[in-house]
Amino acid sequence: MNTPLTALVRPPAATFLQALSRHKKQVPIDFPLSLRQHRFYVETLVSLGVKVDVLEPLDAFPDSTFIEDNAIILDDMALLTSMSATSRRGETLQLKAAMERHYKVEILEPPVFVDGGDVLQVGSKIFVGQSTRTNSLAVEAIAKFTRRPVVPIAVNGALHLKSAVSCLTGELLLIDPEKLDPAPFEDHSWIEVAHGESNAANCLTINGTVLMPSGYPETRALVEKRGLEVRAMPVSEFEKADGGLTCLSILIPKRT
Ligand code: CIR
């Protein structure tokens, strides 16, 4: 069966203003603007050929729009994550039925803790960020479901691994060296975000087009210099809650 690249997304909950944030003193989230930015995100994915499955908002979970954290897609199955943020536990089970439409699903449980934002698949390797959200038990737990190498990587300066590194293409990464030591990626090529443009590191490449948060012109120019098409995406309201472009979807690869 041929299926297109599919994205599962969840619009911001009515409670989104209470989302977790590591920088509390800033301007509060503008909720109507967050809804518009989310709609634009969905429209952009659709314009790039993605089939988007828009799930119900979950008002009991202020951070539930950051759906990436709820699951890890391996080759032929999905793992629902075990989240350490207490206000986010329970989000994952809300995804089970939608995920079962695509994959056989397994569920990770404490004492394993892992957020999907800490899992980056590059070539055959699965990198697992060791962050405040994801522990070393997650590495062994994921390894039980795959033959691919599962590689732990220290994350000290960012909430999640994918806040500091993205795959621009199968061969080229974008890294914020102020937040992440690039050494574990020595088998790969990478470019570094421009100084002062840390949030640009969380990009999402869809069918060859790089979606980059808007407001990071120097990094955009560096990526375009590599011959890649870039679209700037307004995600200011999600950045206020430490989220970005990858966090807003779970991508289910196309199958032929
Ligand atoms: C959280 O703290 O869990 C949310 N406010 C942000 C999650 C962002 N997700 C991601 O980077 N994958």
Side-chain angles (χ1 to χ4, degrees):
M1 187 179 53
N2 275 357
T3 56
L5 177 60
T6 300
L8 305 183
V9 303
R10 204 181 280 291
T15 51
F16 185 41
L17 268 69
Q18 293 150 37
L20 299 171
S21 172
R22 304 204 308 170
H23 31 89
K24 283 284 177 208
K25 285 202 199 79
Q26 62 184 7
V27 190
I29 291 169
D30 176 334
F31 182 63
L33 180 56
S34 75
L35 292 178
R36 289 200 296 280
Q37 291 183 342
H38 196 271
R39 265 199 302 275
F40 184 70
Y41 180 84
V42 169
E43 286 162 10
T44 302
L45 295 190
V46 170
S47 76
L48 293 170
V50 179
K51 177 175 179 300
V52 182
D53 191 355
V54 181
L55 306 179
E56 288 296 305
L58 296 176
D59 294 346
F61 298 102
D63 284 286
S64 51
T65 194
F66 300 120
I67 193 170
E68 166 181 63
D69 294 320
N70 298 163
I72 301 162
I73 307 292
L74 297 176
D75 298 317
D76 52 2
M77 53 113 32
L79 290 174
L80 294 185
T81 56
S82 167
M83 303 190 73
S84 60
T86 42
S87 64
R88 302 201 62 184
R89 286 183 200 157
E91 276 179 33
T92 52
L93 282 183
Q94 300 288 329
L95 182 66
K96 186 165 178 275
M99 195 54 98
E100 281 174 344
R101 292 201 284 272
H102 300 275
Y103 289 113
K104 177 176 175 311
V105 169
E106 298 280 350
I107 302 174
L108 297 174
E109 307 270 6
V112 171
F113 288 114
V114 56
D115 282 2
D118 273 319
V119 180
L120 180 72
Q121 306 197 30
V122 188
S124 70
K125 287 189 193 151
I126 302 173
F127 289 96
V128 179
Q130 304 292 276
S131 69
T132 54
R133 298 288 177 84
T134 297
N135 62 17
S136 58
L137 295 176
V139 177
E140 297 152 37
I142 295 168
K144 284 194 187 132
F145 295 98
T146 178
R147 291 190 176 167
R148 295 159 59 192
V150 183
V151 183
I153 174 167
V155 178
N156 297 314
L159 176 63
H160 288 123
L161 176 61
K162 282 195 248 184
S163 321
V165 53
S166 314
C167 286
L168 294 175
T169 68
E171 293 87 39
L172 184 64
L173 305 176
L174 176 64
I175 298 183
D176 177 1
E178 287 174 23
K179 286 193 179 153
L180 193 74
D181 175 7
F185 298 108
E186 63 189 3
D187 294 347
H188 305 276
S189 309
W190 71 83
I191 52 179
E192 298 184 354
V193 297
H195 184 65
E197 294 193 349
S198 190
N199 283 350
N202 182 262
C203 288
L204 179 64
T205 300
I206 300 287
N207 291 333
T209 297
V210 177
L211 306 183
M212 177 179 285
S214 44
Y216 306 108
E218 288 180 35
T219 307
R220 178 179 183 154
L222 292 172
V223 173
E224 285 176 332
K225 243 164 86 185
R226 298 299 184 108
L228 294 167
E229 192 195 326
V230 178
R231 282 203 207 174
M233 302 286 291
V235 283
S236 59
E237 303 317 292
F238 301 103
E239 287 177 344
K240 288 177 185 173
D242 306 322
L245 288 160
T246 65
C247 320
L248 295 177
S249 56
I250 293 175
L251 293 181
I252 298 180
K254 50 180 127 178
R255 284 185 258 190
T256 48

